[in-house]
Amino acid sequence: MNARYRGKDNPTNVLSFPAEATPGYLGDVAIAYGVTREEASKTGKSLGDHTVHLAVHGALHLLGYDHEAARDAAKMEALEIEILAELGIRNPYEIDGRPVA
């Protein structure tokens, strides 16, 4: 799907597909189970928490947020951290207080 829709021939964890002028409907978020499972395992996160993080990330894309520029990425990550905290999920960009590479 990443190659087909984004022209990038490598796996990705989440893709967002904005709706076309449908009132009240932002679009779709596709989460790649295998990639998500592998990332969660490598970073010591639960699959559930990581999946929720990706769903939030994808929804923010549908709302117009992006992370191409460092400033935009910082804004988007801060929102993700805040939303996930409200859901009882720890900061996905840190493990034991250290940034995740």
mmCIF file of all heavy atoms in Angstrom, residues 37-91:
data_model
loop_
_atom_site.group_PDB
_atom_site.id
_atom_site.type_symbol
_atom_site.label_atom_id
_atom_site.label_comp_id
_atom_site.label_asym_id
_atom_site.label_seq_id
_atom_site.Cartn_x
_atom_site.Cartn_y
_atom_site.Cartn_z
ATOM 1 N N ARG A 37 3.281 -4.832 14.918
ATOM 2 C CA ARG A 37 3.675 -5.875 15.879
ATOM 3 C C ARG A 37 5.191 -5.893 16.055
ATOM 4 O O ARG A 37 5.704 -5.951 17.176
ATOM 5 C CB ARG A 37 3.171 -7.235 15.410
ATOM 6 C CG ARG A 37 3.468 -8.353 16.399
ATOM 7 C CD ARG A 37 3.111 -9.704 15.847
ATOM 8 N NE ARG A 37 4.012 -9.969 14.731
ATOM 9 C CZ ARG A 37 3.665 -10.573 13.597
ATOM 10 N NH1 ARG A 37 2.435 -11.003 13.424
ATOM 11 N NH2 ARG A 37 4.526 -10.769 12.638
ATOM 12 N N GLU A 38 5.921 -5.828 14.952
ATOM 13 C CA GLU A 38 7.386 -5.848 15.008
ATOM 14 C C GLU A 38 7.935 -4.615 15.729
ATOM 15 O O GLU A 38 8.832 -4.728 16.570
ATOM 16 C CB GLU A 38 7.954 -5.918 13.588
ATOM 17 C CG GLU A 38 9.447 -6.081 13.546
ATOM 18 C CD GLU A 38 9.963 -6.255 12.133
ATOM 19 O OE1 GLU A 38 9.284 -6.919 11.319
ATOM 20 O OE2 GLU A 38 11.053 -5.722 11.849
ATOM 21 N N GLU A 39 7.387 -3.441 15.424
ATOM 22 C CA GLU A 39 7.832 -2.215 16.092
ATOM 23 C C GLU A 39 7.558 -2.274 17.592
ATOM 24 O O GLU A 39 8.415 -1.890 18.389
ATOM 25 C CB GLU A 39 7.126 -0.998 15.499
ATOM 26 C CG GLU A 39 7.573 -0.636 14.106
ATOM 27 C CD GLU A 39 6.751 0.487 13.495
ATOM 28 O OE1 GLU A 39 5.708 0.873 14.054
ATOM 29 O OE2 GLU A 39 7.171 0.981 12.440
ATOM 30 N N ALA A 40 6.386 -2.740 17.966
ATOM 31 C CA ALA A 40 6.037 -2.836 19.383
ATOM 32 C C ALA A 40 7.016 -3.763 20.100
ATOM 33 O O ALA A 40 7.512 -3.429 21.184
ATOM 34 C CB ALA A 40 4.600 -3.329 19.540
ATOM 35 N N SER A 41 7.298 -4.881 19.495
ATOM 36 C CA SER A 41 8.216 -5.844 20.094
ATOM 37 C C SER A 41 9.616 -5.253 20.251
ATOM 38 O O SER A 41 10.232 -5.379 21.304
ATOM 39 C CB SER A 41 8.267 -7.104 19.226
ATOM 40 O OG SER A 41 9.207 -8.009 19.743
ATOM 41 N N LYS A 42 10.108 -4.587 19.217
ATOM 42 C CA LYS A 42 11.460 -4.016 19.253
ATOM 43 C C LYS A 42 11.606 -2.909 20.285
ATOM 44 O O LYS A 42 12.698 -2.688 20.803
ATOM 45 C CB LYS A 42 11.832 -3.458 17.878
ATOM 46 C CG LYS A 42 12.226 -4.504 16.884
ATOM 47 C CD LYS A 42 12.643 -3.866 15.573
ATOM 48 C CE LYS A 42 13.035 -4.919 14.563
ATOM 49 N NZ LYS A 42 13.406 -4.327 13.264
ATOM 50 N N THR A 43 10.538 -2.191 20.556
ATOM 51 C CA THR A 43 10.613 -1.046 21.466
ATOM 52 C C THR A 43 10.051 -1.355 22.854
ATOM 53 O O THR A 43 10.000 -0.462 23.704
ATOM 54 C CB THR A 43 9.873 0.174 20.882
ATOM 55 O OG1 THR A 43 8.509 -0.172 20.623
ATOM 56 C CG2 THR A 43 10.536 0.649 19.600
ATOM 57 N N GLY A 44 9.604 -2.580 23.076
ATOM 58 C CA GLY A 44 9.102 -2.968 24.387
ATOM 59 C C GLY A 44 7.736 -2.385 24.721
ATOM 60 O O GLY A 44 7.369 -2.292 25.881
ATOM 61 N N LYS A 45 6.990 -2.000 23.703
ATOM 62 C CA LYS A 45 5.643 -1.455 23.912
ATOM 63 C C LYS A 45 4.632 -2.584 23.751
ATOM 64 O O LYS A 45 4.892 -3.557 23.051
ATOM 65 C CB LYS A 45 5.330 -0.368 22.876
ATOM 66 C CG LYS A 45 6.267 0.807 22.925
ATOM 67 C CD LYS A 45 5.991 1.745 21.764
ATOM 68 C CE LYS A 45 7.028 2.841 21.704
ATOM 69 N NZ LYS A 45 6.899 3.644 20.496
ATOM 70 N N SER A 46 3.470 -2.404 24.353
ATOM 71 C CA SER A 46 2.429 -3.401 24.099
ATOM 72 C C SER A 46 1.874 -3.151 22.699
ATOM 73 O O SER A 46 1.880 -2.015 22.201
ATOM 74 C CB SER A 46 1.304 -3.299 25.135
ATOM 75 O OG SER A 46 0.473 -2.184 24.870
ATOM 76 N N LEU A 47 1.409 -4.210 22.070
ATOM 77 C CA LEU A 47 0.828 -4.073 20.735
ATOM 78 C C LEU A 47 -0.385 -3.146 20.783
ATOM 79 O O LEU A 47 -0.574 -2.302 19.898
ATOM 80 C CB LEU A 47 0.438 -5.442 20.170
ATOM 81 C CG LEU A 47 -0.218 -5.441 18.793
ATOM 82 C CD1 LEU A 47 0.678 -4.779 17.746
ATOM 83 C CD2 LEU A 47 -0.572 -6.862 18.374
ATOM 84 N N GLY A 48 -1.176 -3.253 21.837
ATOM 85 C CA GLY A 48 -2.357 -2.403 21.973
ATOM 86 C C GLY A 48 -2.002 -0.931 22.062
ATOM 87 O O GLY A 48 -2.583 -0.091 21.360
ATOM 88 N N ASP A 49 -1.032 -0.595 22.927
ATOM 89 C CA ASP A 49 -0.628 0.806 23.069
ATOM 90 C C ASP A 49 -0.050 1.348 21.772
ATOM 91 O O ASP A 49 -0.343 2.481 21.379
ATOM 92 C CB ASP A 49 0.398 0.965 24.187
ATOM 93 C CG ASP A 49 -0.197 0.882 25.577
ATOM 94 O OD1 ASP A 49 -1.437 0.740 25.702
ATOM 95 O OD2 ASP A 49 0.578 0.960 26.552
ATOM 96 N N HIS A 50 0.761 0.565 21.110
ATOM 97 C CA HIS A 50 1.379 1.030 19.866
ATOM 98 C C HIS A 50 0.309 1.216 18.782
ATOM 99 O O HIS A 50 0.345 2.183 18.031
ATOM 100 C CB HIS A 50 2.469 0.064 19.413
ATOM 101 C CG HIS A 50 3.311 0.595 18.301
ATOM 102 N ND1 HIS A 50 3.816 1.881 18.277
ATOM 103 C CD2 HIS A 50 3.740 0.017 17.147
ATOM 104 C CE1 HIS A 50 4.515 2.063 17.167
ATOM 105 N NE2 HIS A 50 4.479 0.945 16.459
ATOM 106 N N THR A 51 -0.648 0.323 18.736
ATOM 107 C CA THR A 51 -1.729 0.435 17.751
ATOM 108 C C THR A 51 -2.557 1.691 17.997
ATOM 109 O O THR A 51 -2.897 2.414 17.058
ATOM 110 C CB THR A 51 -2.617 -0.822 17.777
ATOM 111 O OG1 THR A 51 -1.796 -1.967 17.500
ATOM 112 C CG2 THR A 51 -3.730 -0.749 16.759
ATOM 113 N N VAL A 52 -2.867 1.964 19.256
ATOM 114 C CA VAL A 52 -3.619 3.184 19.581
ATOM 115 C C VAL A 52 -2.803 4.410 19.185
ATOM 116 O O VAL A 52 -3.339 5.367 18.609
ATOM 117 C CB VAL A 52 -4.012 3.229 21.072
ATOM 118 C CG1 VAL A 52 -4.596 4.586 21.446
ATOM 119 C CG2 VAL A 52 -4.995 2.122 21.390
ATOM 120 N N HIS A 53 -1.500 4.387 19.458
ATOM 121 C CA HIS A 53 -0.646 5.506 19.053
ATOM 122 C C HIS A 53 -0.732 5.732 17.547
ATOM 123 O O HIS A 53 -0.893 6.864 17.084
ATOM 124 C CB HIS A 53 0.804 5.249 19.475
ATOM 125 C CG HIS A 53 1.755 6.282 18.961
ATOM 126 N ND1 HIS A 53 3.039 5.986 18.625
ATOM 127 C CD2 HIS A 53 1.598 7.597 18.680
ATOM 128 C CE1 HIS A 53 3.654 7.082 18.188
ATOM 129 N NE2 HIS A 53 2.784 8.074 18.206
ATOM 130 N N LEU A 54 -0.661 4.677 16.774
ATOM 131 C CA LEU A 54 -0.717 4.819 15.314
ATOM 132 C C LEU A 54 -2.086 5.306 14.849
ATOM 133 O O LEU A 54 -2.182 6.078 13.892
ATOM 134 C CB LEU A 54 -0.339 3.502 14.638
ATOM 135 C CG LEU A 54 1.111 3.063 14.864
ATOM 136 C CD1 LEU A 54 1.353 1.719 14.196
ATOM 137 C CD2 LEU A 54 2.089 4.107 14.353
ATOM 138 N N ALA A 55 -3.139 4.881 15.534
ATOM 139 C CA ALA A 55 -4.476 5.369 15.190
ATOM 140 C C ALA A 55 -4.573 6.873 15.452
ATOM 141 O O ALA A 55 -5.113 7.628 14.626
ATOM 142 C CB ALA A 55 -5.539 4.606 15.985
ATOM 143 N N VAL A 56 -4.035 7.325 16.575
ATOM 144 C CA VAL A 56 -4.021 8.758 16.889
ATOM 145 C C VAL A 56 -3.181 9.499 15.852
ATOM 146 O O VAL A 56 -3.587 10.547 15.333
ATOM 147 C CB VAL A 56 -3.480 8.993 18.321
ATOM 148 C CG1 VAL A 56 -3.154 10.464 18.566
ATOM 149 C CG2 VAL A 56 -4.470 8.477 19.351
ATOM 150 N N HIS A 57 -2.022 8.959 15.533
ATOM 151 C CA HIS A 57 -1.127 9.560 14.538
ATOM 152 C C HIS A 57 -1.845 9.712 13.197
ATOM 153 O O HIS A 57 -1.826 10.782 12.584
ATOM 154 C CB HIS A 57 0.124 8.685 14.394
ATOM 155 C CG HIS A 57 1.140 9.229 13.468
ATOM 156 N ND1 HIS A 57 2.146 10.067 13.889
ATOM 157 C CD2 HIS A 57 1.318 9.057 12.135
ATOM 158 C CE1 HIS A 57 2.903 10.382 12.840
ATOM 159 N NE2 HIS A 57 2.420 9.777 11.773
ATOM 160 N N GLY A 58 -2.500 8.650 12.761
ATOM 161 C CA GLY A 58 -3.224 8.684 11.495
ATOM 162 C C GLY A 58 -4.371 9.672 11.520
ATOM 163 O O GLY A 58 -4.614 10.395 10.543
ATOM 164 N N ALA A 59 -5.091 9.737 12.638
ATOM 165 C CA ALA A 59 -6.205 10.688 12.760
ATOM 166 C C ALA A 59 -5.700 12.130 12.703
ATOM 167 O O ALA A 59 -6.331 12.987 12.081
ATOM 168 C CB ALA A 59 -6.976 10.438 14.053
ATOM 169 N N LEU A 60 -4.555 12.387 13.323
ATOM 170 C CA LEU A 60 -3.994 13.737 13.261
ATOM 171 C C LEU A 60 -3.631 14.115 11.829
ATOM 172 O O LEU A 60 -3.807 15.268 11.419
ATOM 173 C CB LEU A 60 -2.788 13.870 14.195
ATOM 174 C CG LEU A 60 -3.130 13.904 15.689
ATOM 175 C CD1 LEU A 60 -1.858 13.890 16.528
ATOM 176 C CD2 LEU A 60 -3.984 15.115 16.028
ATOM 177 N N HIS A 61 -3.146 13.152 11.063
ATOM 178 C CA HIS A 61 -2.899 13.420 9.636
ATOM 179 C C HIS A 61 -4.203 13.829 8.945
ATOM 180 O O HIS A 61 -4.224 14.759 8.147
ATOM 181 C CB HIS A 61 -2.295 12.202 8.931
ATOM 182 C CG HIS A 61 -0.820 12.093 9.061
ATOM 183 N ND1 HIS A 61 0.055 13.084 8.699
ATOM 184 C CD2 HIS A 61 -0.052 11.075 9.523
ATOM 185 C CE1 HIS A 61 1.298 12.697 8.917
ATOM 186 N NE2 HIS A 61 1.264 11.471 9.427
ATOM 187 N N LEU A 62 -5.283 13.127 9.249
ATOM 188 C CA LEU A 62 -6.578 13.454 8.640
ATOM 189 C C LEU A 62 -7.058 14.841 9.040
ATOM 190 O O LEU A 62 -7.822 15.474 8.311
ATOM 191 C CB LEU A 62 -7.625 12.406 9.014
ATOM 192 C CG LEU A 62 -7.394 11.002 8.464
ATOM 193 C CD1 LEU A 62 -8.470 10.053 8.980
ATOM 194 C CD2 LEU A 62 -7.353 11.003 6.939
ATOM 195 N N LEU A 63 -6.589 15.308 10.186
ATOM 196 C CA LEU A 63 -6.951 16.650 10.656
ATOM 197 C C LEU A 63 -6.001 17.728 10.132
ATOM 198 O O LEU A 63 -6.138 18.895 10.474
ATOM 199 C CB LEU A 63 -6.976 16.678 12.191
ATOM 200 C CG LEU A 63 -8.123 15.888 12.819
ATOM 201 C CD1 LEU A 63 -7.894 15.724 14.323
ATOM 202 C CD2 LEU A 63 -9.456 16.574 12.542
ATOM 203 N N GLY A 64 -5.035 17.301 9.307
ATOM 204 C CA GLY A 64 -4.150 18.269 8.664
ATOM 205 C C GLY A 64 -2.762 18.396 9.249
ATOM 206 O O GLY A 64 -1.955 19.190 8.773
ATOM 207 N N TYR A 65 -2.455 17.626 10.280
ATOM 208 C CA TYR A 65 -1.119 17.685 10.870
ATOM 209 C C TYR A 65 -0.140 16.869 10.035
ATOM 210 O O TYR A 65 -0.521 15.901 9.383
ATOM 211 C CB TYR A 65 -1.140 17.163 12.313
ATOM 212 C CG TYR A 65 -1.870 18.084 13.247
ATOM 213 C CD1 TYR A 65 -3.237 17.956 13.453
ATOM 214 C CD2 TYR A 65 -1.195 19.110 13.900
ATOM 215 C CE1 TYR A 65 -3.920 18.812 14.304
ATOM 216 C CE2 TYR A 65 -1.868 19.975 14.753
ATOM 217 C CZ TYR A 65 -3.232 19.823 14.944
ATOM 218 O OH TYR A 65 -3.903 20.669 15.770
ATOM 219 N N ASP A 66 1.123 17.285 10.074
ATOM 220 C CA ASP A 66 2.160 16.586 9.323
ATOM 221 C C ASP A 66 3.458 16.635 10.127
ATOM 222 O O ASP A 66 3.551 17.352 11.117
ATOM 223 C CB ASP A 66 2.354 17.225 7.956
ATOM 224 C CG ASP A 66 2.887 16.238 6.939
ATOM 225 O OD1 ASP A 66 3.500 15.225 7.337
ATOM 226 O OD2 ASP A 66 2.702 16.480 5.741
ATOM 227 N N HIS A 67 4.458 15.882 9.681
ATOM 228 C CA HIS A 67 5.727 15.832 10.399
ATOM 229 C C HIS A 67 6.914 15.873 9.452
ATOM 230 O O HIS A 67 7.979 15.370 9.760
ATOM 231 C CB HIS A 67 5.792 14.596 11.307
ATOM 232 C CG HIS A 67 5.389 13.333 10.635
ATOM 233 N ND1 HIS A 67 6.216 12.609 9.815
ATOM 234 C CD2 HIS A 67 4.215 12.673 10.667
ATOM 235 C CE1 HIS A 67 5.573 11.542 9.374
ATOM 236 N NE2 HIS A 67 4.340 11.559 9.881
ATOM 237 N N GLU A 68 6.724 16.493 8.297
ATOM 238 C CA GLU A 68 7.827 16.602 7.338
ATOM 239 C C GLU A 68 8.901 17.567 7.842
ATOM 240 O O GLU A 68 10.078 17.293 7.724
ATOM 241 C CB GLU A 68 7.310 17.035 5.971
ATOM 242 C CG GLU A 68 6.423 16.000 5.300
ATOM 243 C CD GLU A 68 7.109 14.662 5.081
ATOM 244 O OE1 GLU A 68 8.272 14.642 4.622
ATOM 245 O OE2 GLU A 68 6.487 13.632 5.386
ATOM 246 N N ALA A 69 8.506 18.697 8.368
ATOM 247 C CA ALA A 69 9.446 19.672 8.922
ATOM 248 C C ALA A 69 9.573 19.434 10.429
ATOM 249 O O ALA A 69 8.613 19.030 11.088
ATOM 250 C CB ALA A 69 8.958 21.096 8.656
ATOM 251 N N ALA A 70 10.748 19.705 10.971
ATOM 252 C CA ALA A 70 11.009 19.458 12.395
ATOM 253 C C ALA A 70 10.018 20.194 13.291
ATOM 254 O O ALA A 70 9.533 19.627 14.283
ATOM 255 C CB ALA A 70 12.438 19.857 12.740
ATOM 256 N N ARG A 71 9.691 21.421 12.958
ATOM 257 C CA ARG A 71 8.753 22.200 13.776
ATOM 258 C C ARG A 71 7.364 21.555 13.776
ATOM 259 O O ARG A 71 6.701 21.466 14.810
ATOM 260 C CB ARG A 71 8.683 23.621 13.234
ATOM 261 C CG ARG A 71 7.824 24.531 14.045
ATOM 262 C CD ARG A 71 7.871 25.934 13.488
ATOM 263 N NE ARG A 71 7.054 26.816 14.289
ATOM 264 C CZ ARG A 71 7.059 28.099 14.186
ATOM 265 N NH1 ARG A 71 7.848 28.691 13.314
ATOM 266 N NH2 ARG A 71 6.275 28.833 14.940
ATOM 267 N N ASP A 72 6.916 21.101 12.596
ATOM 268 C CA ASP A 72 5.619 20.434 12.489
ATOM 269 C C ASP A 72 5.630 19.102 13.228
ATOM 270 O O ASP A 72 4.646 18.723 13.862
ATOM 271 C CB ASP A 72 5.241 20.223 11.022
ATOM 272 C CG ASP A 72 5.024 21.532 10.287
ATOM 273 O OD1 ASP A 72 4.675 22.541 10.940
ATOM 274 O OD2 ASP A 72 5.201 21.551 9.054
ATOM 275 N N ALA A 73 6.742 18.385 13.136
ATOM 276 C CA ALA A 73 6.866 17.103 13.828
ATOM 277 C C ALA A 73 6.769 17.298 15.337
ATOM 278 O O ALA A 73 6.086 16.531 16.030
ATOM 279 C CB ALA A 73 8.188 16.432 13.466
ATOM 280 N N ALA A 74 7.412 18.337 15.853
ATOM 281 C CA ALA A 74 7.368 18.602 17.289
ATOM 282 C C ALA A 74 5.941 18.898 17.745
ATOM 283 O O ALA A 74 5.509 18.416 18.798
ATOM 284 C CB ALA A 74 8.295 19.765 17.638
ATOM 285 N N LYS A 75 5.211 19.664 16.942
ATOM 286 C CA LYS A 75 3.808 19.973 17.265
ATOM 287 C C LYS A 75 2.958 18.711 17.272
ATOM 288 O O LYS A 75 2.167 18.480 18.189
ATOM 289 C CB LYS A 75 3.233 20.911 16.194
ATOM 290 C CG LYS A 75 3.008 22.294 16.617
ATOM 291 C CD LYS A 75 2.248 23.019 15.508
ATOM 292 C CE LYS A 75 2.714 24.442 15.415
ATOM 293 N NZ LYS A 75 2.045 25.188 14.383
ATOM 294 N N MET A 76 3.131 17.894 16.236
ATOM 295 C CA MET A 76 2.326 16.687 16.102
ATOM 296 C C MET A 76 2.647 15.702 17.221
ATOM 297 O O MET A 76 1.744 15.111 17.820
ATOM 298 C CB MET A 76 2.556 16.060 14.727
ATOM 299 C CG MET A 76 1.627 14.934 14.395
ATOM 300 S SD MET A 76 1.806 14.489 12.658
ATOM 301 C CE MET A 76 0.726 13.078 12.578
ATOM 302 N N GLU A 77 3.915 15.526 17.526
ATOM 303 C CA GLU A 77 4.312 14.604 18.590
ATOM 304 C C GLU A 77 3.775 15.065 19.944
ATOM 305 O O GLU A 77 3.323 14.238 20.749
ATOM 306 C CB GLU A 77 5.828 14.453 18.632
ATOM 307 C CG GLU A 77 6.363 13.641 17.478
ATOM 308 C CD GLU A 77 7.874 13.544 17.456
ATOM 309 O OE1 GLU A 77 8.537 13.949 18.452
ATOM 310 O OE2 GLU A 77 8.408 13.067 16.445
ATOM 311 N N ALA A 78 3.805 16.373 20.199
ATOM 312 C CA ALA A 78 3.281 16.893 21.465
ATOM 313 C C ALA A 78 1.788 16.584 21.601
ATOM 314 O O ALA A 78 1.322 16.194 22.673
ATOM 315 C CB ALA A 78 3.532 18.393 21.566
ATOM 316 N N LEU A 79 1.051 16.738 20.508
ATOM 317 C CA LEU A 79 -0.377 16.405 20.528
ATOM 318 C C LEU A 79 -0.594 14.918 20.770
ATOM 319 O O LEU A 79 -1.472 14.524 21.535
ATOM 320 C CB LEU A 79 -1.042 16.815 19.212
ATOM 321 C CG LEU A 79 -1.518 18.240 19.128
ATOM 322 C CD1 LEU A 79 -1.955 18.559 17.699
ATOM 323 C CD2 LEU A 79 -2.671 18.467 20.077
ATOM 324 N N GLU A 80 0.204 14.095 20.099
ATOM 325 C CA GLU A 80 0.094 12.647 20.292
ATOM 326 C C GLU A 80 0.331 12.286 21.753
ATOM 327 O O GLU A 80 -0.442 11.523 22.344
ATOM 328 C CB GLU A 80 1.103 11.912 19.405
ATOM 329 C CG GLU A 80 0.788 11.975 17.934
ATOM 330 C CD GLU A 80 1.896 11.386 17.080
ATOM 331 O OE1 GLU A 80 2.775 10.666 17.596
ATOM 332 O OE2 GLU A 80 1.880 11.658 15.863
ATOM 333 N N ILE A 81 1.379 12.838 22.334
ATOM 334 C CA ILE A 81 1.719 12.556 23.733
ATOM 335 C C ILE A 81 0.570 12.963 24.645
ATOM 336 O O ILE A 81 0.184 12.214 25.554
ATOM 337 C CB ILE A 81 3.035 13.266 24.121
ATOM 338 C CG1 ILE A 81 4.206 12.631 23.349
ATOM 339 C CG2 ILE A 81 3.267 13.209 25.628
ATOM 340 C CD1 ILE A 81 5.483 13.458 23.368
ATOM 341 N N GLU A 82 0.000 14.138 24.405
ATOM 342 C CA GLU A 82 -1.110 14.640 25.227
ATOM 343 C C GLU A 82 -2.348 13.750 25.098
ATOM 344 O O GLU A 82 -2.965 13.376 26.096
ATOM 345 C CB GLU A 82 -1.447 16.064 24.786
ATOM 346 C CG GLU A 82 -2.556 16.708 25.572
ATOM 347 C CD GLU A 82 -2.863 18.117 25.090
ATOM 348 O OE1 GLU A 82 -1.993 18.764 24.489
ATOM 349 O OE2 GLU A 82 -4.004 18.560 25.325
ATOM 350 N N ILE A 83 -2.706 13.398 23.885
ATOM 351 C CA ILE A 83 -3.885 12.551 23.652
ATOM 352 C C ILE A 83 -3.684 11.177 24.270
ATOM 353 O O ILE A 83 -4.565 10.645 24.951
ATOM 354 C CB ILE A 83 -4.195 12.451 22.142
ATOM 355 C CG1 ILE A 83 -4.650 13.806 21.597
ATOM 356 C CG2 ILE A 83 -5.233 11.362 21.869
ATOM 357 C CD1 ILE A 83 -4.640 13.897 20.075
ATOM 358 N N LEU A 84 -2.522 10.595 24.051
ATOM 359 C CA LEU A 84 -2.247 9.262 24.591
ATOM 360 C C LEU A 84 -2.236 9.270 26.121
ATOM 361 O O LEU A 84 -2.726 8.330 26.751
ATOM 362 C CB LEU A 84 -0.935 8.718 24.035
ATOM 363 C CG LEU A 84 -0.977 8.404 22.540
ATOM 364 C CD1 LEU A 84 0.423 8.106 22.015
ATOM 365 C CD2 LEU A 84 -1.932 7.265 22.232
ATOM 366 N N ALA A 85 -1.721 10.340 26.722
ATOM 367 C CA ALA A 85 -1.723 10.443 28.184
ATOM 368 C C ALA A 85 -3.153 10.431 28.709
ATOM 369 O O ALA A 85 -3.445 9.805 29.732
ATOM 370 C CB ALA A 85 -0.992 11.704 28.629
ATOM 371 N N GLU A 86 -4.057 11.110 28.005
ATOM 372 C CA GLU A 86 -5.464 11.111 28.404
ATOM 373 C C GLU A 86 -6.068 9.709 28.327
ATOM 374 O O GLU A 86 -7.036 9.409 29.023
ATOM 375 C CB GLU A 86 -6.264 12.078 27.530
ATOM 376 C CG GLU A 86 -5.959 13.537 27.806
ATOM 377 C CD GLU A 86 -6.744 14.486 26.928
ATOM 378 O OE1 GLU A 86 -7.816 14.100 26.409
ATOM 379 O OE2 GLU A 86 -6.287 15.628 26.761
ATOM 380 N N LEU A 87 -5.492 8.877 27.487
ATOM 381 C CA LEU A 87 -5.959 7.499 27.338
ATOM 382 C C LEU A 87 -5.187 6.528 28.232
ATOM 383 O O LEU A 87 -5.378 5.309 28.159
ATOM 384 C CB LEU A 87 -5.836 7.062 25.871
ATOM 385 C CG LEU A 87 -6.676 7.864 24.869
ATOM 386 C CD1 LEU A 87 -6.303 7.480 23.443
ATOM 387 C CD2 LEU A 87 -8.157 7.636 25.119
ATOM 388 N N GLY A 88 -4.278 7.067 29.044
ATOM 389 C CA GLY A 88 -3.506 6.226 29.959
ATOM 390 C C GLY A 88 -2.338 5.523 29.305
ATOM 391 O O GLY A 88 -1.854 4.508 29.820
ATOM 392 N N ILE A 89 -1.868 6.051 28.181
ATOM 393 C CA ILE A 89 -0.745 5.436 27.460
ATOM 394 C C ILE A 89 0.467 6.348 27.593
ATOM 395 O O ILE A 89 0.383 7.554 27.341
ATOM 396 C CB ILE A 89 -1.106 5.211 25.974
ATOM 397 C CG1 ILE A 89 -2.278 4.223 25.881
ATOM 398 C CG2 ILE A 89 0.104 4.706 25.193
ATOM 399 C CD1 ILE A 89 -2.833 4.043 24.490
ATOM 400 N N ARG A 90 1.589 5.756 27.974
ATOM 401 C CA ARG A 90 2.809 6.541 28.200
ATOM 402 C C ARG A 90 3.333 7.149 26.901
ATOM 403 O O ARG A 90 2.960 6.736 25.797
ATOM 404 C CB ARG A 90 3.885 5.688 28.854
ATOM 405 C CG ARG A 90 4.411 4.612 27.925
ATOM 406 C CD ARG A 90 5.437 3.761 28.613
ATOM 407 N NE ARG A 90 5.939 2.797 27.627
ATOM 408 C CZ ARG A 90 6.768 1.839 27.875
ATOM 409 N NH1 ARG A 90 7.219 1.683 29.085
ATOM 410 N NH2 ARG A 90 7.164 1.016 26.936
ATOM 411 N N ASN A 91 4.236 8.098 27.068
ATOM 412 C CA ASN A 91 4.864 8.782 25.944
ATOM 413 C C ASN A 91 5.502 7.756 24.999
ATOM 414 O O ASN A 91 6.424 7.046 25.395
ATOM 415 C CB ASN A 91 5.924 9.750 26.477
ATOM 416 C CG ASN A 91 6.628 10.529 25.397
ATOM 417 O OD1 ASN A 91 6.598 10.194 24.222
ATOM 418 N ND2 ASN A 91 7.295 11.591 25.798
#
